[in-house]
Amino acid sequence: MIETVFTNEQKANYYKFMISKAEVNFDLHSSSYIGFKEDNKIIGAIFFSNYDKHNVFIHIAFDTPRCVSRKHIKLMFDYIFNQLGCRRTTATCDSENNRVQKLIEGVGFTQEGLIRKMVAINNKEIDVIIYGMLKNECRWI
């Protein structure tokens, strides 16, 4: 059974998991997160960063697609739009990661732009797609 974790004591462990899976760079101490574990093993994390009362960036990494259940998607958007009170949220994805693009678009994000050669993965420069979702567009809350 997948358990959700929110404690500050575990935050650094989930951050290590996140950066091992995704090309992200954000301040751990000013971010918040939802962690997922199964049999005491970290299997996923959602981090929220750069919160400015109107927008928050989300960063997602999973070992298993079972972390992307309706329950967890609702939990994520409830946190963003109802608890934080954001009017929008922003996600990014490298342009070569079709699986994550499908996930982001599948939950309702709209592609808003492209930053050329934003990250380097294995010494290859990769474009990054910017996605956004407004509160009134979210079908999960």
Side-chain angles (χ1 to χ4, degrees):
M1 180 175 169
I2 297 175
E3 299 174 58
T4 53
V5 179
F6 308 93
T7 63
N8 280 334
E9 295 80 27
Q10 293 294 314
K11 190 176 187 181
N13 294 330
Y14 282 89
Y15 181 75
K16 288 177 190 172
F17 174 86
M18 172 68 66
I19 61 174
S20 75
K21 303 285 182 190
E23 293 290 323
V24 296
N25 185 17
F26 57 87
D27 179 48
L28 172 64
H29 302 292
S30 65
S31 65
S32 54
Y33 83 107
I34 301 171
F36 303 97
K37 70 179 185 176
E38 188 172 49
D39 299 325
N40 252 358
K41 180 181 181 251
I42 295 172
I43 59 170
I46 304 169
F47 272 84
F48 307 91
S49 70
N50 301 86
Y51 170 64
D52 67 4
K53 296 190 180 1
H54 305 288
N55 180 65
V56 68
F57 281 79
I58 62 168
H59 314 277
I60 303 172
F62 295 109
D63 274 347
T64 173
R66 292 183 305 114
C67 291
V68 190
S69 69
R70 290 183 179 277
K71 171 184 162 186
H72 298 132
I73 294 168
K74 287 180 180 183
L75 181 67
M76 176 181 73
F77 287 119
D78 177 68
Y79 179 72
I80 292 167
F81 294 121
N82 294 329
Q83 293 181 45
L84 292 178
C86 291
R87 65 177 179 235
R88 66 165 285 128
T89 185
T90 304
T92 60
C93 173
D94 81 60
S95 62
E96 297 187 357
N97 194 335
N98 294 328
R99 187 174 175 197
V100 173
Q101 288 174 41
K102 284 176 132 177
L103 170 65
I104 291 171
E105 292 168 6
V107 298
F109 279 86
T110 300
Q111 185 175 333
E112 295 182 332
L114 180 80
I115 303 174
R116 298 178 295 154
K117 298 183 180 188
M118 175 74 174
V119 296
I121 300 172
N122 299 326
N123 294 322
K124 181 179 178 187
E125 293 175 322
I126 307 285
D127 298 341
V128 171
I129 302 170
I130 301 170
Y131 290 94
M133 180 187 293
L134 303 177
K135 182 176 182 177
N136 66 336
E137 297 169 340
C138 184
R139 66 181 186 261
W140 300 96
I141 56 170

